[in-house]
Structure formats: C-alpha cells, structure tokens
Amino acid sequence: MQTKKRILFVDDEPLLLDMYRLLFESEEAAWDIAFASGAEEALQLMEQAPFDVVVSELHLSGMTGVDLFREVSKRYPQTSRLVVADQADQEEAASELKVTHQFLSKPFDSNALRSTIWRVCAVENGAIDEKIKALLAQNYSVPSLPSLYFRIMRAMDSPDASLAEIGGIVAQDPGMTAKILQLVNSAFFGIRRRVTNPAEAVQYLGVQKVRSLALSVHVFSCFDQARVGSFNLARVWNHSIATGQIAQKICKSERAGDTAMEEAYVAGMLHDVGKVMLVSGDPARYAQAIALARERCVPLVEAEREIFGVTHAEVGAYLLGLWGLPISIVEAIALHHAPSRTVMKTFSPLTAVHFASWMENQMSQPAIKTVHAEADTEYLARLGLEDRLETWRELAEDNRAVGLAGAA
C-alpha cells in the first residue's frame, strides 16, 4: 500500500490557511495535510512526524519563511521546501536558494500549485540530493542565478516596460550582451540581417526567449574550459540550443500554451548542464565514464551512475531546483532520459524535451560518441500520442534545415 505524502502549509493569515483547506480537500486520499499558523508551530508539528513537503509564506511574523526553511534544511534535509511570495520578492527568495527548493509567485493558480506539489513529491530528491551535495562539495563549481534574470523579470511585470528598456537592461551586462548578440546572429535563429544591439535582439526574439538565453549563456559561460578528450563544450551547447528550439516547436504543435512552450525551451537549453558541471569538476572521472560507456556499449548516463553515483540529469535538475525554476522545468531535466517516471499523465515540457533531445541526437554529430538512450515509446503510447512522433520528427528536421540554411 502506497504511503500518503505529508504536506504542511504554513501561513500566519487564518483566511489563507482556510483557502488551502478548501483548495486541497480533494487530495486527502493521496495527501496527509496539516496546517500551521506560524514557523514555531510548523517546527513543533515536524518534531512529531516528518513531512514530505512544506509550503510557507515568505513573510511570517516572528521567524520568516526563509528562517523557517533554514531550520528545516538543517533538521529535515529531505523535506521539500516551497516558498510563496509576491513577484517583487522573488530576488529576496532567490538569495536563499540553498534553503528553498521552489518559488511560487502570488497570486498563484490553484491547479499550478497542485501540479507543483505532485511533481515535487514524485521527483526523487532525498537520497539523490544527498549524493549530489556530497559530490559537489568535493571540487565543483555551482553557479548562482544571474541577477540579469531578475531585472528582466521585474521589467516584464511592469505594464510600462518597453522592448527598448528591456534591451537596455541586457546592455548593462557587456559580457552577456556580446554572447547574446553572437548567438542571435548565428545560424540557429536564421535572421537574415545582422542584429547589432540588445534592443534589436529583444525585438527579434521576444522577451521570454532573451530571458531564457540569459540563463543558458550564464551557466555555460561558467564552464568554458570544460574539455575531456572528445567532449566538446561547443557541441553540447549546439545540441542544447537545438533541443530547446525543437521542444518549443513540439509544444506549439500540441497547442500546449505559451507557458509550456517557454518552459520546454528553457529545459531543452539546460537539459545537459549537469554534464558540463560533472566534466568541469572532475575531468579525469568523466573520462572514465566516457571510456566505460564505449567499452560496454551503454548510454553515457548509465556509465555516469556507476562512476559518480548520480547522472548529469539529476545534477542539472538539482541546480535548477536551487535556482527556484518551475518544477515542470526541473522535472523535464531530471527525467529527460526516463520520462516514464513522471506522475503526470498528459503531454508536458518533459515530453517535448525527451523526444527533442533524442531526435536532435539522431540527426547530428553527437558531442560524445557513445550509445544514446532510446526514445521511450512506451511512455508515448501511455499518453496516446504515438501518431504524433512523425510530425515531431518533421519539426526537428525543419529546424535543422533552417539552421543549415542560416549557416550557408
């Protein structure tokens, strides 16, 4: 018999606790739900029995939500911690990313919150997180979330912000500006005229895509010296860009909505960042993993598990979890080699990223010449989407053709 997941909601506003009771009473068959009117009461409840997930308001009287999570992270490290706050407080919440797993912006959609909690409960983060923490404590660099991301987010929330203003925000970071312009003018986007300033980049690509690129460019730039034999960072970068583009197009073809398209793009761009973190932190061991994968003719992800105890998918998801990105992005990265492990029974960014990465690998020169994991067709059949695979393949081929034409 499956054990109920224990969820604790913390808020010092009685009306909000009542709202949580009403919103989630339908989940009582799967969740054991408790409520605390402040941090002290929450800690007392946790002393009596462990919780799988704690959802807390950022601003509590007395001990704040961040203070609460700092204590929870020390006493109960396997408990997932979700902080709820106004969008304006996102940067404050992100400053304590090591003690929070997710940021939920108010006002939130009840279905989105429910989906987030389900995914948090499903994505393994207990024993695996401890292995990752132990690994990263050795000699690994864990990049912080770029402040540029938050400045763009704040501008997007302002009804008065223009594309020129957002371009001006990007221009404040010369290094990021140079890299984004280099990328915009590459074959990937097929823009016929040369883009020369950030405002033009925002105009051509859109704010959402520029924000996503700011994340990707930042994290990859932290590891620009990563090399292990045939491991080539440029190829991983190219594969990641193409995967993000294909995943976004797959979402569009399925009419998944703007949010899913953006999340699939970000997840596709960052799905292999854990690979770069592993190779940068310990090139010799990663070389062992590559050699083992070739010797046994198994996917590299299997060799990573044997050599490191964790995979690049799990390391990447851990980073994105620390950054407080949406759980659907974290899930897409964590499970991009094993989508059947998701609890979701419908098309999601995970679906798009899994097949986009697989198809892109089939069409291009792989970053590391090892056996690639197969597409999970059983997962696709479970979703009732077997007949869509050929359409998605055509989208991937078209995306590649546009890139090749742009490079000509």
Side-chain angles (χ1 to χ4, degrees):
M1 183 177 179
Q2 189 173 6
T3 305
K4 281 186 177 183
K5 295 294 184 180
R6 302 200 72 229
I7 317 295
L8 175 63
F9 291 95
V10 186
D11 204 303
D12 53 11
E13 290 287 341
L15 287 176
L16 289 177
L17 288 181
D18 288 341
M19 179 197 72
Y20 285 131
R21 287 188 179 93
L22 290 172
L23 286 177
F24 297 108
E25 62 182 359
S26 62
E27 303 294 347
E28 290 180 350
W31 297 348
D32 184 1
I33 303 177
F35 305 90
S37 58
E40 295 294 342
E41 184 181 351
L43 291 173
Q44 291 172 9
L45 289 172
M46 297 188 78
E47 285 178 4
Q48 298 170 19
F51 285 86
D52 296 287
V53 181
V54 177
V55 182
S56 175
E57 165 72 32
L58 176 62
H59 298 296
L60 298 171
S61 57
M63 184 184 293
T64 68
V66 168
D67 291 334
L68 168 63
F69 282 167
R70 191 175 289 113
E71 285 300 311
V72 173
S73 68
K74 293 176 184 175
R75 303 183 197 182
Y76 315 101
Q78 293 190 2
T79 298
S80 294
R81 303 174 290 277
L82 282 66
V83 65
V84 179
D86 293 323
Q87 188 71 44
D89 296 320
Q90 182 170 5
E91 193 163 359
E92 178 184 346
S95 68
E96 297 291 346
L97 285 174
K98 290 187 178 179
V99 298
T100 62
H101 289 128
Q102 275 287 301
F103 173 89
L104 298 171
S105 178
K106 294 192 299 185
F108 53 77
D109 178 84
S110 60
N111 289 328
L113 177 57
R114 181 180 288 104
S115 175
T116 295
I117 296 174
W118 270 110
R119 282 186 164 108
V120 166
C121 290
V123 175
E124 298 175 85
N125 59 10
I128 288 178
D129 271 11
E130 292 309 305
K131 287 182 179 179
I132 294 172
K133 288 176 186 176
L135 178 70
L136 297 183
Q138 297 170 20
N139 190 33
Y140 291 80
S141 173
V142 181
S144 60
L145 192 57
S147 60
L148 177 65
Y149 177 82
F150 291 110
R151 294 201 296 273
I152 295 175
M153 287 284 287
R154 280 198 296 269
M156 288 173 63
D157 288 336
S158 170
D160 301 321
S162 66
L163 295 181
E165 288 176 276
I166 293 173
I169 293 171
V170 176
Q172 292 172 18
D173 187 328
M176 187 70 72
T177 296
K179 289 171 181 174
I180 287 179
L181 290 178
Q182 181 183 22
L183 183 59
V184 168
N185 287 300
S186 70
F188 287 105
F189 294 97
I191 298 174
R192 293 300 179 184
R193 64 180 297 272
R194 185 160 187 81
V195 178
T196 58
N197 63 67
E200 284 186 286
V202 174
Q203 182 178 357
Y204 275 105
L205 300 180
V207 176
Q208 299 279 8
K209 191 160 287 186
V210 168
R211 184 185 64 176
S212 302
L213 289 176
L215 282 180
S216 305
V217 167
H218 170 76
V219 71
F220 272 87
S221 68
C222 291
F223 306 105
D224 59 1
Q225 299 302 312
R227 293 290 187 276
V228 177
S230 60
F231 186 96
N232 186 310
L233 183 62
R235 288 179 181 170
V236 176
W237 172 238
N238 292 343
H239 168 72
S240 299
I241 295 172
T243 297
Q245 291 177 326
I246 296 167
Q248 187 176 51
K249 289 176 180 178
I250 289 174
C251 283
K252 185 176 182 179
S253 74
E254 300 306 308
R255 300 177 181 175
D258 291 343
T259 298
M261 287 171 59
E262 173 66 13
E263 290 176 348
Y265 184 78
V266 175
M269 288 279 287
L270 295 173
H271 76 289
D272 274 347
V273 69
K275 190 178 293 183
V276 184
M277 291 177 69
L278 288 175
V279 73
S280 177
D282 198 333
R285 287 176 74 191
Y286 208 83
Q288 292 176 25
I290 294 172
L292 182 64
R294 288 173 175 166
E295 177 187 335
R296 295 186 182 175
C297 293
V298 297
L300 183 59
V301 69
E302 293 183 23
E304 289 172 347
R305 173 84 65 193
E306 184 162 336
I307 298 296
F308 291 96
V310 294
T311 71
H312 71 272
E314 292 156 353
V315 172
Y318 179 79
L319 172 66
L320 273 293
L322 286 180
W323 280 2
L325 265 66
I327 192 64
S328 54
I329 294 177
V330 176
E331 178 194 56
I333 292 173
L335 304 182
H336 74 266
H337 285 295
S340 288
R341 285 167 45 198
T342 182
V343 297
M344 305 305 291
K345 298 179 181 178
T346 57
F347 177 91
S348 70
L350 169 62
T351 317
V353 171
H354 171 70
F355 287 100
S357 178
W358 171 71
M359 288 185 291
E360 207 285 325
N361 272 327
Q362 301 300 306
M363 296 186 300
S364 64
Q365 179 75 17
I368 302 172
K369 294 182 180 178
T370 56
V371 174
H372 288 290
E374 292 297 322
D376 192 341
T377 52
E378 290 185 10
Y379 162 72
L380 195 64
R382 198 168 74 236
L383 299 182
L385 296 171
E386 311 101 300
D387 62 333
R388 301 296 297 156
L389 188 56
E390 192 55 39
T391 297
W392 298 349
R393 196 189 308 274
E394 291 174 3
L395 291 173
E397 291 171 351
D398 289 346
N399 190 78
R400 182 166 175 76
V402 168
L404 291 174

PDB file of all heavy atoms in Angstrom, residues 17 24 28 59 83 106 113 119 152 158 183 202 216 234-235 247 278 281 283 288 304 318 331 340 357 362 364 379 393:
ATOM      1  N   LEU A  17      -4.934  30.052   5.299  1.00  0.00           N
ATOM      2  CA  LEU A  17      -4.930  28.644   5.692  1.00  0.00           C
ATOM      3  C   LEU A  17      -6.279  27.998   5.358  1.00  0.00           C
ATOM      4  O   LEU A  17      -6.335  26.847   4.908  1.00  0.00           O
ATOM      5  CB  LEU A  17      -4.633  28.509   7.186  1.00  0.00           C
ATOM      6  CG  LEU A  17      -3.190  28.807   7.619  1.00  0.00           C
ATOM      7  CD1 LEU A  17      -3.041  28.599   9.129  1.00  0.00           C
ATOM      8  CD2 LEU A  17      -2.191  27.921   6.874  1.00  0.00           C
ATOM      9  N   PHE A  24      -7.446  22.005  -1.281  1.00  0.00           N
ATOM     10  CA  PHE A  24      -6.798  20.698  -1.339  1.00  0.00           C
ATOM     11  C   PHE A  24      -7.542  19.599  -0.583  1.00  0.00           C
ATOM     12  O   PHE A  24      -6.984  18.518  -0.369  1.00  0.00           O
ATOM     13  CB  PHE A  24      -5.358  20.821  -0.834  1.00  0.00           C
ATOM     14  CG  PHE A  24      -4.525  21.734  -1.692  1.00  0.00           C
ATOM     15  CD1 PHE A  24      -4.149  22.990  -1.232  1.00  0.00           C
ATOM     16  CD2 PHE A  24      -4.160  21.361  -2.979  1.00  0.00           C
ATOM     17  CE1 PHE A  24      -3.399  23.838  -2.028  1.00  0.00           C
ATOM     18  CE2 PHE A  24      -3.427  22.212  -3.786  1.00  0.00           C
ATOM     19  CZ  PHE A  24      -3.041  23.456  -3.312  1.00  0.00           C
ATOM     20  N   GLU A  28      -7.170  14.563  -0.174  1.00  0.00           N
ATOM     21  CA  GLU A  28      -6.996  13.878   1.103  1.00  0.00           C
ATOM     22  C   GLU A  28      -6.761  12.380   0.947  1.00  0.00           C
ATOM     23  O   GLU A  28      -6.186  11.744   1.835  1.00  0.00           O
ATOM     24  CB  GLU A  28      -8.213  14.138   2.001  1.00  0.00           C
ATOM     25  CG  GLU A  28      -8.278  15.590   2.498  1.00  0.00           C
ATOM     26  CD  GLU A  28      -9.485  15.840   3.378  1.00  0.00           C
ATOM     27  OE1 GLU A  28     -10.364  14.950   3.457  1.00  0.00           O
ATOM     28  OE2 GLU A  28      -9.552  16.929   3.985  1.00  0.00           O
ATOM     29  N   HIS A  59       6.816  35.977   4.066  1.00  0.00           N
ATOM     30  CA  HIS A  59       6.779  36.937   5.173  1.00  0.00           C
ATOM     31  C   HIS A  59       5.844  36.431   6.273  1.00  0.00           C
ATOM     32  O   HIS A  59       4.627  36.487   6.152  1.00  0.00           O
ATOM     33  CB  HIS A  59       6.318  38.306   4.674  1.00  0.00           C
ATOM     34  CG  HIS A  59       7.249  38.901   3.666  1.00  0.00           C
ATOM     35  ND1 HIS A  59       8.542  39.251   3.964  1.00  0.00           N
ATOM     36  CD2 HIS A  59       7.074  39.191   2.347  1.00  0.00           C
ATOM     37  CE1 HIS A  59       9.136  39.740   2.894  1.00  0.00           C
ATOM     38  NE2 HIS A  59       8.266  39.717   1.896  1.00  0.00           N
ATOM     39  N   VAL A  83       8.476  28.109  -1.121  1.00  0.00           N
ATOM     40  CA  VAL A  83       8.171  29.410  -0.548  1.00  0.00           C
ATOM     41  C   VAL A  83       7.186  30.157  -1.449  1.00  0.00           C
ATOM     42  O   VAL A  83       7.301  30.132  -2.668  1.00  0.00           O
ATOM     43  CB  VAL A  83       9.458  30.236  -0.319  1.00  0.00           C
ATOM     44  CG1 VAL A  83      10.134  30.587  -1.629  1.00  0.00           C
ATOM     45  CG2 VAL A  83       9.167  31.496   0.487  1.00  0.00           C
ATOM     46  N   LYS A 106       2.773  34.778  -6.029  1.00  0.00           N
ATOM     47  CA  LYS A 106       1.377  35.132  -5.790  1.00  0.00           C
ATOM     48  C   LYS A 106       0.950  36.243  -6.756  1.00  0.00           C
ATOM     49  O   LYS A 106       1.770  37.110  -7.083  1.00  0.00           O
ATOM     50  CB  LYS A 106       1.194  35.627  -4.349  1.00  0.00           C
ATOM     51  CG  LYS A 106       1.427  34.579  -3.288  1.00  0.00           C
ATOM     52  CD  LYS A 106       0.952  35.034  -1.915  1.00  0.00           C
ATOM     53  CE  LYS A 106       1.664  36.273  -1.439  1.00  0.00           C
ATOM     54  NZ  LYS A 106       1.309  36.660  -0.055  1.00  0.00           N
ATOM     55  N   LEU A 113      -0.330  25.142  -8.461  1.00  0.00           N
ATOM     56  CA  LEU A 113       0.225  24.780  -7.159  1.00  0.00           C
ATOM     57  C   LEU A 113       0.054  23.290  -6.904  1.00  0.00           C
ATOM     58  O   LEU A 113       0.973  22.609  -6.436  1.00  0.00           O
ATOM     59  CB  LEU A 113      -0.452  25.589  -6.053  1.00  0.00           C
ATOM     60  CG  LEU A 113      -0.028  25.256  -4.620  1.00  0.00           C
ATOM     61  CD1 LEU A 113       1.478  25.410  -4.446  1.00  0.00           C
ATOM     62  CD2 LEU A 113      -0.776  26.142  -3.622  1.00  0.00           C
ATOM     63  N   ARG A 119       4.438  17.063  -8.480  1.00  0.00           N
ATOM     64  CA  ARG A 119       5.728  16.819  -9.123  1.00  0.00           C
ATOM     65  C   ARG A 119       6.859  16.778  -8.098  1.00  0.00           C
ATOM     66  O   ARG A 119       7.768  15.963  -8.199  1.00  0.00           O
ATOM     67  CB  ARG A 119       6.010  17.897 -10.169  1.00  0.00           C
ATOM     68  CG  ARG A 119       5.251  17.704 -11.486  1.00  0.00           C
ATOM     69  CD  ARG A 119       5.720  18.724 -12.497  1.00  0.00           C
ATOM     70  NE  ARG A 119       5.344  18.391 -13.852  1.00  0.00           N
ATOM     71  CZ  ARG A 119       4.421  18.997 -14.563  1.00  0.00           C
ATOM     72  NH1 ARG A 119       3.727  19.974 -14.005  1.00  0.00           N
ATOM     73  NH2 ARG A 119       4.163  18.644 -15.804  1.00  0.00           N
ATOM     74  N   ILE A 152      15.239  41.408 -15.675  1.00  0.00           N
ATOM     75  CA  ILE A 152      14.325  41.222 -16.805  1.00  0.00           C
ATOM     76  C   ILE A 152      12.940  40.829 -16.293  1.00  0.00           C
ATOM     77  O   ILE A 152      11.913  41.311 -16.783  1.00  0.00           O
ATOM     78  CB  ILE A 152      14.865  40.168 -17.779  1.00  0.00           C
ATOM     79  CG1 ILE A 152      16.169  40.652 -18.437  1.00  0.00           C
ATOM     80  CG2 ILE A 152      13.829  39.844 -18.861  1.00  0.00           C
ATOM     81  CD1 ILE A 152      16.840  39.618 -19.320  1.00  0.00           C
ATOM     82  N   SER A 158       6.242  44.976 -15.219  1.00  0.00           N
ATOM     83  CA  SER A 158       5.802  46.364 -15.284  1.00  0.00           C
ATOM     84  C   SER A 158       4.987  46.600 -16.550  1.00  0.00           C
ATOM     85  O   SER A 158       5.434  46.298 -17.653  1.00  0.00           O
ATOM     86  CB  SER A 158       7.019  47.298 -15.276  1.00  0.00           C
ATOM     87  OG  SER A 158       6.618  48.623 -15.564  1.00  0.00           O
ATOM     88  N   LEU A 183      24.996  34.849 -30.398  1.00  0.00           N
ATOM     89  CA  LEU A 183      24.050  33.756 -30.592  1.00  0.00           C
ATOM     90  C   LEU A 183      22.930  34.163 -31.549  1.00  0.00           C
ATOM     91  O   LEU A 183      22.561  33.398 -32.453  1.00  0.00           O
ATOM     92  CB  LEU A 183      23.475  33.336 -29.244  1.00  0.00           C
ATOM     93  CG  LEU A 183      22.512  32.153 -29.242  1.00  0.00           C
ATOM     94  CD1 LEU A 183      23.181  30.914 -29.810  1.00  0.00           C
ATOM     95  CD2 LEU A 183      22.014  31.874 -27.827  1.00  0.00           C
ATOM     96  N   VAL A 202      15.986  41.729 -28.515  1.00  0.00           N
ATOM     97  CA  VAL A 202      14.714  41.547 -27.817  1.00  0.00           C
ATOM     98  C   VAL A 202      13.556  41.630 -28.802  1.00  0.00           C
ATOM     99  O   VAL A 202      12.585  40.866 -28.728  1.00  0.00           O
ATOM    100  CB  VAL A 202      14.561  42.597 -26.696  1.00  0.00           C
ATOM    101  CG1 VAL A 202      13.173  42.505 -26.059  1.00  0.00           C
ATOM    102  CG2 VAL A 202      15.643  42.416 -25.633  1.00  0.00           C
ATOM    103  N   SER A 216      20.870  30.474 -19.936  1.00  0.00           N
ATOM    104  CA  SER A 216      21.718  29.472 -20.580  1.00  0.00           C
ATOM    105  C   SER A 216      23.129  29.980 -20.822  1.00  0.00           C
ATOM    106  O   SER A 216      24.112  29.283 -20.543  1.00  0.00           O
ATOM    107  CB  SER A 216      21.085  29.035 -21.909  1.00  0.00           C
ATOM    108  OG  SER A 216      19.775  28.576 -21.704  1.00  0.00           O
ATOM    109  N   ALA A 234      31.296  23.122 -27.133  1.00  0.00           N
ATOM    110  CA  ALA A 234      30.553  23.774 -28.213  1.00  0.00           C
ATOM    111  C   ALA A 234      29.472  22.848 -28.772  1.00  0.00           C
ATOM    112  O   ALA A 234      28.367  23.286 -29.093  1.00  0.00           O
ATOM    113  CB  ALA A 234      31.512  24.201 -29.322  1.00  0.00           C
ATOM    114  N   ARG A 235      29.802  21.563 -28.887  1.00  0.00           N
ATOM    115  CA  ARG A 235      28.799  20.612 -29.402  1.00  0.00           C
ATOM    116  C   ARG A 235      27.644  20.434 -28.417  1.00  0.00           C
ATOM    117  O   ARG A 235      26.482  20.324 -28.816  1.00  0.00           O
ATOM    118  CB  ARG A 235      29.471  19.266 -29.681  1.00  0.00           C
ATOM    119  CG  ARG A 235      30.388  19.286 -30.899  1.00  0.00           C
ATOM    120  CD  ARG A 235      31.039  17.940 -31.103  1.00  0.00           C
ATOM    121  NE  ARG A 235      31.938  17.949 -32.256  1.00  0.00           N
ATOM    122  CZ  ARG A 235      32.770  16.958 -32.548  1.00  0.00           C
ATOM    123  NH1 ARG A 235      32.805  15.890 -31.775  1.00  0.00           N
ATOM    124  NH2 ARG A 235      33.547  17.034 -33.609  1.00  0.00           N
ATOM    125  N   ALA A 247      11.946  21.420 -28.882  1.00  0.00           N
ATOM    126  CA  ALA A 247      10.975  21.189 -27.815  1.00  0.00           C
ATOM    127  C   ALA A 247       9.892  22.251 -27.828  1.00  0.00           C
ATOM    128  O   ALA A 247       8.704  21.965 -27.637  1.00  0.00           O
ATOM    129  CB  ALA A 247      11.692  21.159 -26.465  1.00  0.00           C
ATOM    130  N   LEU A 278      29.682  18.133 -14.304  1.00  0.00           N
ATOM    131  CA  LEU A 278      30.461  16.945 -13.937  1.00  0.00           C
ATOM    132  C   LEU A 278      31.829  16.948 -14.608  1.00  0.00           C
ATOM    133  O   LEU A 278      32.844  16.677 -13.967  1.00  0.00           O
ATOM    134  CB  LEU A 278      29.690  15.676 -14.324  1.00  0.00           C
ATOM    135  CG  LEU A 278      28.462  15.339 -13.479  1.00  0.00           C
ATOM    136  CD1 LEU A 278      27.734  14.121 -14.058  1.00  0.00           C
ATOM    137  CD2 LEU A 278      28.846  15.077 -12.027  1.00  0.00           C
ATOM    138  N   GLY A 281      34.068  19.715 -13.102  1.00  0.00           N
ATOM    139  CA  GLY A 281      34.505  19.467 -11.736  1.00  0.00           C
ATOM    140  C   GLY A 281      35.520  18.350 -11.598  1.00  0.00           C
ATOM    141  O   GLY A 281      36.402  18.415 -10.739  1.00  0.00           O
ATOM    142  N   PRO A 283      37.407  16.205 -14.541  1.00  0.00           N
ATOM    143  CA  PRO A 283      37.614  15.715 -15.911  1.00  0.00           C
ATOM    144  C   PRO A 283      38.096  14.276 -15.970  1.00  0.00           C
ATOM    145  O   PRO A 283      37.682  13.522 -16.855  1.00  0.00           O
ATOM    146  CB  PRO A 283      38.680  16.675 -16.464  1.00  0.00           C
ATOM    147  CG  PRO A 283      38.554  17.911 -15.635  1.00  0.00           C
ATOM    148  CD  PRO A 283      38.174  17.440 -14.271  1.00  0.00           C
ATOM    149  N   GLN A 288      36.671   8.600 -17.427  1.00  0.00           N
ATOM    150  CA  GLN A 288      36.405   7.202 -17.089  1.00  0.00           C
ATOM    151  C   GLN A 288      34.989   6.802 -17.493  1.00  0.00           C
ATOM    152  O   GLN A 288      34.757   5.701 -18.004  1.00  0.00           O
ATOM    153  CB  GLN A 288      36.581   6.976 -15.589  1.00  0.00           C
ATOM    154  CG  GLN A 288      38.003   7.094 -15.078  1.00  0.00           C
ATOM    155  CD  GLN A 288      38.073   6.945 -13.561  1.00  0.00           C
ATOM    156  OE1 GLN A 288      37.211   6.327 -12.942  1.00  0.00           O
ATOM    157  NE2 GLN A 288      39.100   7.523 -12.957  1.00  0.00           N
ATOM    158  N   GLU A 304      27.706   7.220 -16.101  1.00  0.00           N
ATOM    159  CA  GLU A 304      27.778   8.285 -15.090  1.00  0.00           C
ATOM    160  C   GLU A 304      27.305   7.765 -13.742  1.00  0.00           C
ATOM    161  O   GLU A 304      27.928   8.047 -12.705  1.00  0.00           O
ATOM    162  CB  GLU A 304      26.906   9.475 -15.512  1.00  0.00           C
ATOM    163  CG  GLU A 304      27.437  10.276 -16.687  1.00  0.00           C
ATOM    164  CD  GLU A 304      26.426  11.307 -17.175  1.00  0.00           C
ATOM    165  OE1 GLU A 304      25.230  11.247 -16.768  1.00  0.00           O
ATOM    166  OE2 GLU A 304      26.820  12.177 -17.967  1.00  0.00           O
ATOM    167  N   TYR A 318      19.145  19.333  -9.957  1.00  0.00           N
ATOM    168  CA  TYR A 318      19.478  19.865  -8.632  1.00  0.00           C
ATOM    169  C   TYR A 318      19.819  21.355  -8.732  1.00  0.00           C
ATOM    170  O   TYR A 318      19.346  22.166  -7.937  1.00  0.00           O
ATOM    171  CB  TYR A 318      20.657  19.090  -8.050  1.00  0.00           C
ATOM    172  CG  TYR A 318      21.115  19.571  -6.695  1.00  0.00           C
ATOM    173  CD1 TYR A 318      20.425  19.205  -5.540  1.00  0.00           C
ATOM    174  CD2 TYR A 318      22.234  20.386  -6.567  1.00  0.00           C
ATOM    175  CE1 TYR A 318      20.832  19.653  -4.294  1.00  0.00           C
ATOM    176  CE2 TYR A 318      22.653  20.838  -5.326  1.00  0.00           C
ATOM    177  CZ  TYR A 318      21.954  20.461  -4.187  1.00  0.00           C
ATOM    178  OH  TYR A 318      22.364  20.909  -2.956  1.00  0.00           O
ATOM    179  N   GLU A 331      11.625  18.951 -13.502  1.00  0.00           N
ATOM    180  CA  GLU A 331      11.229  17.586 -13.849  1.00  0.00           C
ATOM    181  C   GLU A 331      11.697  17.216 -15.253  1.00  0.00           C
ATOM    182  O   GLU A 331      12.201  16.106 -15.476  1.00  0.00           O
ATOM    183  CB  GLU A 331       9.705  17.454 -13.769  1.00  0.00           C
ATOM    184  CG  GLU A 331       9.205  16.064 -14.155  1.00  0.00           C
ATOM    185  CD  GLU A 331       7.715  16.031 -14.390  1.00  0.00           C
ATOM    186  OE1 GLU A 331       7.219  16.814 -15.234  1.00  0.00           O
ATOM    187  OE2 GLU A 331       7.044  15.207 -13.748  1.00  0.00           O
ATOM    188  N   SER A 340       9.078   8.039 -18.232  1.00  0.00           N
ATOM    189  CA  SER A 340       8.044   7.178 -17.668  1.00  0.00           C
ATOM    190  C   SER A 340       7.937   7.298 -16.156  1.00  0.00           C
ATOM    191  O   SER A 340       6.940   6.872 -15.558  1.00  0.00           O
ATOM    192  CB  SER A 340       8.297   5.712 -18.042  1.00  0.00           C
ATOM    193  OG  SER A 340       8.022   5.499 -19.412  1.00  0.00           O
ATOM    194  N   SER A 357      15.456  16.017 -27.642  1.00  0.00           N
ATOM    195  CA  SER A 357      16.862  15.645 -27.442  1.00  0.00           C
ATOM    196  C   SER A 357      17.205  14.382 -28.213  1.00  0.00           C
ATOM    197  O   SER A 357      18.253  14.300 -28.867  1.00  0.00           O
ATOM    198  CB  SER A 357      17.142  15.448 -25.944  1.00  0.00           C
ATOM    199  OG  SER A 357      18.477  15.042 -25.745  1.00  0.00           O
ATOM    200  N   GLN A 362      19.837  12.040 -33.103  1.00  0.00           N
ATOM    201  CA  GLN A 362      19.781  11.177 -34.284  1.00  0.00           C
ATOM    202  C   GLN A 362      20.246  11.898 -35.548  1.00  0.00           C
ATOM    203  O   GLN A 362      20.791  11.298 -36.468  1.00  0.00           O
ATOM    204  CB  GLN A 362      18.341  10.668 -34.507  1.00  0.00           C
ATOM    205  CG  GLN A 362      17.752   9.872 -33.359  1.00  0.00           C
ATOM    206  CD  GLN A 362      18.540   8.629 -33.041  1.00  0.00           C
ATOM    207  OE1 GLN A 362      18.798   7.811 -33.906  1.00  0.00           O
ATOM    208  NE2 GLN A 362      18.939   8.484 -31.775  1.00  0.00           N
ATOM    209  N   SER A 364      22.357  14.713 -35.719  1.00  0.00           N
ATOM    210  CA  SER A 364      23.594  15.490 -35.706  1.00  0.00           C
ATOM    211  C   SER A 364      24.762  14.681 -35.179  1.00  0.00           C
ATOM    212  O   SER A 364      24.599  13.578 -34.662  1.00  0.00           O
ATOM    213  CB  SER A 364      23.407  16.746 -34.849  1.00  0.00           C
ATOM    214  OG  SER A 364      23.157  16.370 -33.509  1.00  0.00           O
ATOM    215  N   TYR A 379       6.207   5.224 -23.019  1.00  0.00           N
ATOM    216  CA  TYR A 379       5.699   6.442 -22.377  1.00  0.00           C
ATOM    217  C   TYR A 379       4.790   7.194 -23.348  1.00  0.00           C
ATOM    218  O   TYR A 379       3.700   7.646 -22.986  1.00  0.00           O
ATOM    219  CB  TYR A 379       6.882   7.305 -21.945  1.00  0.00           C
ATOM    220  CG  TYR A 379       6.572   8.751 -21.652  1.00  0.00           C
ATOM    221  CD1 TYR A 379       5.857   9.117 -20.515  1.00  0.00           C
ATOM    222  CD2 TYR A 379       7.027   9.763 -22.512  1.00  0.00           C
ATOM    223  CE1 TYR A 379       5.598  10.456 -20.240  1.00  0.00           C
ATOM    224  CE2 TYR A 379       6.768  11.101 -22.231  1.00  0.00           C
ATOM    225  CZ  TYR A 379       6.052  11.441 -21.096  1.00  0.00           C
ATOM    226  OH  TYR A 379       5.789  12.768 -20.832  1.00  0.00           O
ATOM    227  N   ARG A 393       9.103  14.595 -35.672  1.00  0.00           N
ATOM    228  CA  ARG A 393      10.348  14.361 -36.396  1.00  0.00           C
ATOM    229  C   ARG A 393      10.489  15.362 -37.546  1.00  0.00           C
ATOM    230  O   ARG A 393      11.582  15.874 -37.817  1.00  0.00           O
ATOM    231  CB  ARG A 393      10.389  12.929 -36.927  1.00  0.00           C
ATOM    232  CG  ARG A 393      11.794  12.480 -37.362  1.00  0.00           C
ATOM    233  CD  ARG A 393      11.716  11.140 -38.091  1.00  0.00           C
ATOM    234  NE  ARG A 393      11.001  10.158 -37.314  1.00  0.00           N
ATOM    235  CZ  ARG A 393      11.570   9.395 -36.377  1.00  0.00           C
ATOM    236  NH1 ARG A 393      12.851   9.542 -36.102  1.00  0.00           N
ATOM    237  NH2 ARG A 393      10.860   8.492 -35.729  1.00  0.00           N
TER     238      ARG A 393
END
